Amino acid sequence: MQFVTQSGRPDYIPIEDHGIIGDLHTVALVGDDGTIDWCCLPRFDAPSVFGSLLDAKKGGSFSVSVAKAERTKQMYMPDSNVLLTRFLAHDSVAELYDFMVPDHPSCPKASVRQIVRQVRVLRGRARVEVYCRPAFDYARVPHQVSLVPDLGAVFTSAVGTLTLRASVPLQVDGDAAVVAVELEPGQTLELAAEWGSELRPLGDSEVSRLLDLTLAFWDGWLRHSRYQGRYREIVERSALALKLLVYQPTGALVAAPTTSLPEAIGGVRNWDYRYTWVRDAAFTLYALMRLGFTEEAASFVDWLRSRCLEAPPERGLQVLYGIDGRAELPEMVLDHLDGYCGSRPVRIGNAAADQLQLDIYGEVMDSVYLYNKYGQPISYDLWEALSRQLDWLEKHWEDPDEGIWEGRGARQRYTYSALMTWVAFERAQRIARQRGMPAPIERWRDTAGAAYRFVQEMCYAPDHGAYVRYPGSDTLDAALLVMPLVKFASPTDPRFLSSVERIEETLVSDSLVHRYRIDGSDGFTDSEGTFNLCSFWYVEALSRAGRVGEARYVFEKMVTQANHVGLYSEEIGPAGEALGNFPQAFTHLALISAATNLDRSIRSHPGPAARHCHQT
């Protein structure tokens, strides 16, 4: 055995060259070369322990590689979140199984946050190399590493301890634990990196037992899916990805498990997404309910009830919260980190928590309405808490806000915010009537009507033939593609169809959709990629408008934009590269919604697929 380096690896591999594993508390990003580039322990919003994704030299990583491997292939084990990386050489084949044990009673030791890695050699003789160097607290805190004979290594820092159990003796090099070992066919190398645990023996067959239990957990969970459509594989992969982004103790869902992955390489749109956006979580509830995952929906409703009860009467709901429900999420810059491919600043925390985004009430009420109808009847306490939020919205819906896209420029009276105000009061009326709940129905009807008229009379620009971002603007907003999805407009309404055509002319490029045209009004001038969420909203708009062949064409092109294991980031760059935080919940929930709607439309409108769609 000898010291291992990573000299042959590029500093940064593409964002999309990663899969994820997780335990319903946190996730790890695993490169297709077997390197863990990102993991926060013991939970999503904790400081990173492995962070080479944001600084290749200082960030810390945990690699397992095979010398002389000519190619690697990566896939998920069927119906699971167990990641398999295959190392292919002329004279050997080895496989790396990566997983974390889900936090569930069916899985022993589920209370331990651990990354489990098993290497199996299938053919030939393979030299397996391990390099583990954590970097605690975003690489701000040094650590010491010590070996315990026959057990493994202990990494000790002022902020926590990481233990690395191994089936072979490890060595120390500086502040890293390393090993290189030759394995014959049928032999294995097993590793378990645990947070905050005392070093203990890695028992015989322990890893194999944990692997079997983890596979059984994911297979059992996925069996609750009701989706039977033609896009089953990508839909179920999206559901599995969304489940990995749920923080089991509270039911909260993170927007993405990463921070500061750039929306343009070298740009400054680098945000921390490891928190729970009320908007994202509400849409996710809808997506998972459509597939039959009502347990997750119930957990989110409980989380939402707590946020509504805690919200101060003078403010209303926040845009986002910590996964434990905390409201304070101060944003700060980590100047000591270089950022992904030099994209700085690296941020932790998110100042958007202090923004005013009035649309969240519409998304919340829409998801609660669907849960009340298709899940479980909501409680009186939740109804009263929601009613108080509507009282606040009734007084403030005409205020300018930052809008759905969280701009950091001047506030405006965004069309999308008014649209969602209508949704909030329209859905509240439906719940009240269906359940006989006490409610000021007439006031809600009047407010919904005022919001509806505002959108139609102030936000539609006849000279543009489209709904614009806000009154007086000449900029379009792809968020308004949701109008028929939320029943505001008929999908064949002339105003909506004209708006879709204008969006196609100005925001659609090769079937991919930009959020809006960058003009500096959002406080930034640097570019960004196309927005995956909007591309899937475009699919739904087309299919609902009867342009089913084009919708199918766009959807299936979007399927090719997924990475090698079916995951999406926030955006797509001009060369098809993934941009932004990864994987992003919003993208996957929109995919589920688009796929289920498209299935229904194809069955209702059989015919050949379109040869092309409108492009600019």
Side-chain angles (χ1 to χ4, degrees):
M1 288 179 282
Q2 65 184 44
F3 169 61
V4 180
T5 70
Q6 292 186 294
S7 58
R9 187 181 197 245
D11 283 348
Y12 299 96
I13 64 173
I15 294 170
E16 63 268 24
D17 286 358
H18 291 88
I20 61 168
I21 57 175
D23 59 5
L24 310 183
H25 281 248
T26 189
V27 306
L29 270 64
V30 186
D32 62 2
D33 61 354
T35 299
I36 293 177
D37 283 313
W38 181 258
C39 185
C40 298
L41 292 169
R43 62 187 214 178
F44 292 107
D45 56 357
S48 64
V49 175
F50 300 115
S52 56
L53 193 65
L54 296 181
D55 193 304
K57 295 180 172 57
K58 296 190 289 287
S61 63
F62 183 8
S63 70
V64 174
S65 60
V66 175
K68 298 182 180 180
E70 298 167 23
R71 293 192 301 163
T72 61
K73 297 285 187 179
Q74 199 172 58
M75 60 176 280
Y76 279 108
M77 295 291 288
D79 299 338
S80 82
N81 280 314
V82 174
L83 196 62
L84 170 61
T85 305
R86 306 185 73 224
F87 298 89
L88 308 174
H90 178 72
D91 56 357
S92 66
V93 175
E95 294 182 337
L96 168 63
Y97 293 80
D98 280 317
F99 63 98
M100 299 177 77
V101 183
D103 181 9
H104 192 269
S106 65
C107 296
K109 301 183 177 66
S111 61
V112 178
R113 309 275 71 79
Q114 60 178 331
I115 300 168
V116 185
R117 321 194 74 181
Q118 183 188 67
V119 182
R120 302 176 186 176
V121 175
L122 305 183
R123 178 174 64 83
R125 183 181 177 88
R127 178 183 172 85
V128 181
E129 302 177 345
V130 177
Y131 177 91
C132 181
R133 186 183 71 83
F136 293 87
D137 191 23
Y138 306 109
R140 292 183 294 189
V141 174
H143 68 269
Q144 296 77 43
V145 57
S146 59
L147 297 181
V148 179
D150 301 321
L151 293 182
V154 180
F155 302 91
T156 306
S157 78
V159 296
T161 300
L162 184 76
T163 61
L164 177 60
R165 299 187 291 153
S167 61
V168 297
L170 301 174
Q171 292 180 318
V172 170
D173 183 83
D175 56 358
V178 300
V179 69
V181 60
E182 302 278 350
L183 296 180
E184 302 286 350
Q187 292 184 320
T188 63
L189 169 62
E190 297 176 334
L191 304 159
E194 297 183 0
W195 176 259
S197 297
E198 292 185 2
L199 198 59
R200 52 192 173 82
L202 190 62
D204 293 340
S205 304
E206 178 183 345
V207 168
S208 294
R209 289 197 303 273
L210 290 175
L211 176 57
D212 290 342
L213 288 167
T214 301
L215 287 169
F217 169 82
W218 288 115
D219 179 73
W221 181 80
L222 195 58
R223 287 178 185 271
H224 290 92
S225 173
R226 294 196 299 255
Y227 182 82
Q228 299 295 325
R230 67 189 65 216
Y231 302 112
R232 182 173 177 177
E233 183 175 356
I234 192 71
V235 165
E236 291 188 343
R237 176 50 52 197
S238 290
L240 285 162
L242 287 174
K243 179 64 172 176
L244 277 182
L245 302 184
V246 173
Y247 182 59
Q248 184 75 9
T250 64
L253 175 130
V254 296
T258 56
T259 180
S260 299
L261 292 182
E263 296 176 20
I265 301 300
V268 300
R269 296 176 188 257
N270 313 325
W271 313 113
D272 193 345
Y273 276 15
R274 297 171 300 153
Y275 307 111
T276 300
W277 270 252
V278 171
R279 175 190 307 110
D280 299 34
F283 275 123
T284 301
L285 181 151
Y286 172 57
L288 291 176
M289 278 184 52
R290 294 186 75 168
L291 301 182
F293 297 109
T294 55
E295 179 181 335
E296 288 72 21
S299 295
F300 170 70
V301 168
D302 286 343
W303 181 89
L304 176 63
R305 172 181 171 274
S306 297
R307 304 293 80 74
C308 289
L309 291 172
E310 295 167 359
E314 70 279 3
R315 172 169 177 171
L317 286 172
Q318 273 192 191
V319 175
L320 66 142
Y321 295 87
I323 52 178
D324 55 3
R326 73 188 188 280
E328 298 299 322
L329 303 170
E331 183 174 300
M332 63 179 294
V333 172
L334 300 180
D335 288 323
H336 68 289
L337 295 179
D338 289 342
Y340 177 80
C341 290
S343 302
R344 304 179 72 183
V346 173
R347 294 182 175 94
I348 57 174
N350 200 307
D354 298 322
Q355 288 190 353
L356 179 64
Q357 297 177 24
L358 295 168
D359 66 284
I360 64 174
Y361 297 93
E363 286 119 1
V364 165
M365 292 307 302
D366 194 35
S367 62
V368 170
Y369 162 73
L370 293 168
Y371 180 75
N372 181 74
K373 184 175 181 180
Y374 298 111
Q376 297 290 331
I378 63 171
S379 68
Y380 174 73
D381 287 343
L382 176 57
W383 177 248
E384 285 294 293
L386 290 169
S387 296
R388 286 194 293 274
Q389 298 306 314
L390 293 174
D391 288 342
W392 183 91
L393 181 61
E394 189 177 358
K395 299 172 185 175
H396 295 279
W397 76 271
E398 296 178 282
D399 295 347
D401 70 343
E402 275 86 4
I404 180 176
W405 304 128
E406 300 184 353
R408 299 201 174 185
R411 288 182 172 182
Q412 302 286 350
R413 288 199 64 190
Y414 286 104
T415 306
Y416 183 81
S417 296
L419 165 67
M420 282 296 160
T421 295
W422 173 84
V423 172
F425 288 103
E426 197 277 338
R427 300 305 191 268
Q429 293 175 73
R430 291 196 193 195
I431 297 172
R433 291 194 181 99
Q434 291 171 0
R435 292 286 307 282
M437 295 286 201
I441 294 290
E442 291 186 5
R443 278 180 24 221
W444 288 354
R445 183 177 62 243
D446 290 345
T447 306
Y452 189 94
R453 286 191 295 272
F454 175 79
V455 173
Q456 296 288 18
E457 296 172 6
M458 303 300 295
C459 302
Y460 183 79
D463 53 335
H464 290 288
Y467 296 98
V468 291
R469 290 192 75 196
Y470 51 84
S473 170
D474 61 357
T475 302
L476 304 184
D477 187 347
L480 299 177
L481 289 168
V482 306
M483 282 184 167
L485 281 65
V486 298
K487 313 299 184 187
F488 178 88
S490 162
T492 57
D493 183 287
R495 286 188 171 196
F496 177 71
L497 292 178
S498 176
S499 296
V500 172
E501 291 176 0
R502 291 286 289 114
I503 286 173
E504 288 174 327
E505 293 169 4
T506 60
L507 299 181
V508 177
S509 175
D510 188 25
S511 79
L512 302 175
V513 184
H514 291 272
R515 295 185 291 181
Y516 50 86
R517 189 176 66 245
I518 301 298
D519 59 7
S521 62
D522 62 355
F524 302 97
T525 57
D526 54 317
S527 64
E528 63 177 10
T530 56
F531 214 72
N532 291 325
L533 168 69
C534 297
S535 297
F536 285 118
W537 279 347
Y538 179 45
V539 171
E540 282 211 56
L542 291 174
S543 63
R544 290 174 184 267
R547 297 165 60 181
V548 180
E550 293 173 80
R552 183 175 179 182
Y553 174 80
V554 173
F555 182 84
E556 295 190 7
K557 285 189 77 173
M558 277 301 297
V559 169
T560 70
Q561 300 287 353
N563 81 342
H564 60 291
V565 289
L567 301 177
Y568 291 86
S569 64
E570 184 176 28
E571 300 181 5
I572 295 172
E577 72 274 21
L579 294 172
N581 286 304
F582 174 89
Q584 197 207 28
F586 228 160
T587 300
H588 285 279
L589 64 91
L591 182 154
I592 291 171
S593 182
T596 52
N597 182 266
L598 182 58
D599 270 328
R600 183 168 59 248
S601 297
I602 291 172
R603 289 194 299 270
S604 302
H605 301 83
R611 294 181 181 273
H612 59 83
C613 67
H614 191 110
Q615 299 180 24
T616 58

